[in-house]
Amino acid sequence: MDRTTGRPGTRRIWLCNAVTVCAVALGTLGTFGTLAAPANAAPANAANGASANAAKATPANVANAATGGTSGPAARAATPWTLRTPLSETVSTEFWDVAATGAEDAWAVGRKTDGTDGPTPVIKHWNGTTWTDVPAAGTGDEPGQLEKVSAAAPDDVWAAGVQSGETTSPVVVRHWDGEKWADTAHAAPPEGWMSFVGDIAAFGEKSAWLTSFDWDQSSGASTSRLERWTGSAWQDVSLPAAPGGGEVQPWDITGTGPDDVWITAEAVTGDVSDPLLYHWNGRGWTVREVPTPAEHPTGWVANHAVATGRGSVYVVGKTNDAEAPEATMAAQWTGSRWRSLPALPVDEANAAGADGAGRLWIAGWSAGGRHSVLSRWTGTKWATEALPADVTEHSEMSTVSGIAAVPGTNGVFAAGTAGCQSDPVMCGLVVSRDVR
């Protein structure tokens, strides 16, 4: 089974949906399966071992995308976003994340799929003028893909993804030292298990964090994992117990430095999840319950966390409904209290990040739309902007799956995938705002 792109769902019904979609997604633009969930596919609630963090590839969403009509006036409107990569790759390319250390140093990662040999990791580097391919380090004879990237400095960049083997799929973690990418050893799951990446974040020398989980295809059992790079190896880290009980499942990572790390998690009891926000101050953990807009039978999940300054972090999420979100949520921890934000202007946030000025951005689809939109929190409301016409008028559909600040500027990069109107079907896209 191809690893249908997307973050894990929490309910078993999502697994059935994922199997259906992944059977037709690759190479079939009309299904919208690959664009619908731009990261690594995961099973549903694998015995409550995975959070419903972006289960986009469901029949309802596929139908919405397929009937969304043409790009429409909103998509053709003037926009401050600029396409930085032409939609003209010679093989199908998908970007799932982006990171930057400045206006002349950025990275986009994903996969390329050429013929029947399976996907191979793709890494592109921005030098301030052009995006160029960079060798991704050896993966042996196994196909693979990279799904997350984080950069602390031009010579300190981390990327994580998976290899796709016949009976198992281990997480692969790579590090850029300024000259080359190299693999770092990471434990493989047991035979017959599949691994899935949650997030990776770099905060400087000897400070990187990784979330992932393993899922047993036969039994449905799963194990969530939080790890920290010690400078020589990945070390398991245990989070404190949830305030109200339940199994703690870590997911998204953000922060401003080694002593200011934030991790979203869910406390899962049965099919119900409660969103949590953990903080590491360099010495110990603090855990806070994330406020939700209302009660929900299956609870809520925290898809994304975005730190916009020390002591300031946004949490973006949705109801714990694996087929489609019934409602969205966003809240900010100000350092002393929670501040609730209005419901998101999209049906679900596929990506969240900040720009160089510390402003929160999210990306997702508006109702019935074929193309992602990007929305900025102004402090009082959501301001929504379209992708450039080079994307909306020259591709069938698109999604944005990664957003990254450009330090030293007010700018931001966003990366994703567009459905090309001709072969090679999928075209990786990178857009920017306020970046020269």
Side-chain angles (χ1 to χ4, degrees):
M1 182 180 86
D2 175 63
R3 303 167 65 89
T4 309
T5 57
R7 288 187 174 183
T10 56
R11 306 177 79 182
R12 294 186 182 277
I13 189 172
W14 196 86
L15 178 59
C16 299
N17 294 337
V19 171
T20 301
V21 172
C22 73
V24 295
L26 272 183
T28 308
L29 180 61
T31 66
F32 205 60
T34 308
L35 292 183
N40 185 22
N45 194 23
N48 293 325
S51 55
N53 280 311
K56 295 293 293 183
T58 64
N61 291 327
V62 170
N64 287 340
T67 59
T70 59
S71 55
R76 292 193 296 269
T79 177
W81 290 85
T82 301
L83 180 65
R84 308 310 292 253
T85 53
L87 303 182
S88 58
E89 296 283 352
T90 57
V91 298
S92 285
T93 304
E94 299 156 82
F95 291 140
W96 292 331
D97 204 9
V98 63
T101 67
E104 298 180 352
D105 182 57
W107 298 88
V109 301
R111 73 177 182 180
K112 289 185 176 181
T113 306
D114 188 10
T116 60
D117 294 334
T120 57
V122 59
I123 301 177
K124 282 188 178 288
H125 179 252
W126 169 254
N127 64 5
T129 304
T130 58
W131 289 91
T132 56
D133 286 300
V134 178
T139 58
D141 295 326
E142 300 288 352
Q145 55 198 38
L146 291 172
E147 299 152 15
K148 290 292 178 180
V149 63
S150 181
D155 60 352
D156 187 14
V157 186
W158 289 90
V162 292
Q163 286 183 336
S164 303
E166 291 293 330
T167 59
T168 189
S169 59
V171 167
V172 293
V173 185
R174 298 190 174 115
H175 182 256
W176 172 259
D177 63 4
E179 296 182 358
K180 65 182 183 303
W181 285 96
D183 285 324
T184 61
H186 189 273
E191 193 73 13
W193 289 55
M194 299 178 71
S195 293
F196 300 88
V197 173
D199 201 6
I200 195 166
F203 298 105
E205 186 179 1
K206 297 184 180 180
S207 182
W209 295 78
L210 172 72
T211 58
S212 63
F213 77 94
D214 301 329
W215 172 63
D216 183 358
Q217 302 175 69
S218 60
S219 69
S222 68
T223 301
S224 295
R225 182 175 293 111
L226 171 65
E227 297 171 271
R228 182 182 181 185
W229 178 250
T230 65
S232 59
W234 288 99
Q235 181 182 72
D236 286 337
V237 177
S238 296
L239 290 172
E247 180 188 353
V248 176
Q249 300 172 357
W251 192 254
D252 215 39
I253 312 168
T254 189
T256 64
D259 60 350
D260 185 36
V261 180
W262 301 86
I263 296 174
T264 65
E266 280 82 53
V268 179
T269 305
D271 287 334
V272 180
S273 65
D274 295 309
L276 304 173
L277 181 65
Y278 284 84
H279 181 244
W280 171 256
N281 65 6
R283 301 178 304 278
W285 292 99
T286 303
V287 57
R288 295 178 176 87
E289 296 176 281
V290 179
T292 57
E295 295 292 328
H296 190 273
T298 57
W300 296 74
V301 295
N303 301 65
H304 309 282
V306 181
T308 56
R310 195 172 184 88
S312 173
V313 60
Y314 290 89
V315 176
V316 178
K318 59 181 281 295
T319 53
N320 181 23
D321 186 328
E323 291 189 82
E326 295 180 4
T328 59
M329 70 168 188
Q332 179 193 16
W333 174 254
T334 65
S336 59
R337 65 183 181 87
W338 284 104
R339 177 192 181 196
S340 294
L341 277 61
L344 306 185
V346 294
D347 64 356
E348 181 177 348
N350 290 331
D355 61 23
R359 297 172 296 192
L360 173 68
W361 286 87
I362 63 169
W365 295 319
S366 55
R370 281 177 170 253
H371 292 280
S372 279
V373 294
L374 294 123
S375 295
R376 173 173 51 88
W377 175 246
T378 67
T380 57
K381 64 180 181 179
W382 293 103
T384 299
E385 298 172 353
L387 289 171
D390 289 344
V391 176
T392 59
E393 295 183 357
H394 299 286
S395 65
E396 298 291 339
M397 52 199 71
S398 63
T399 191
V400 169
S401 50
I403 298 174
V406 183
T409 76
N410 290 332
V412 59
F413 280 117
T417 304
C420 302
Q421 293 181 341
S422 59
D423 286 340
V425 183
M426 300 298 177
C427 290
L429 68 90
V430 178
V431 295
S432 69
R433 190 184 194 276
D434 299 327
V435 178
R436 292 186 178 182

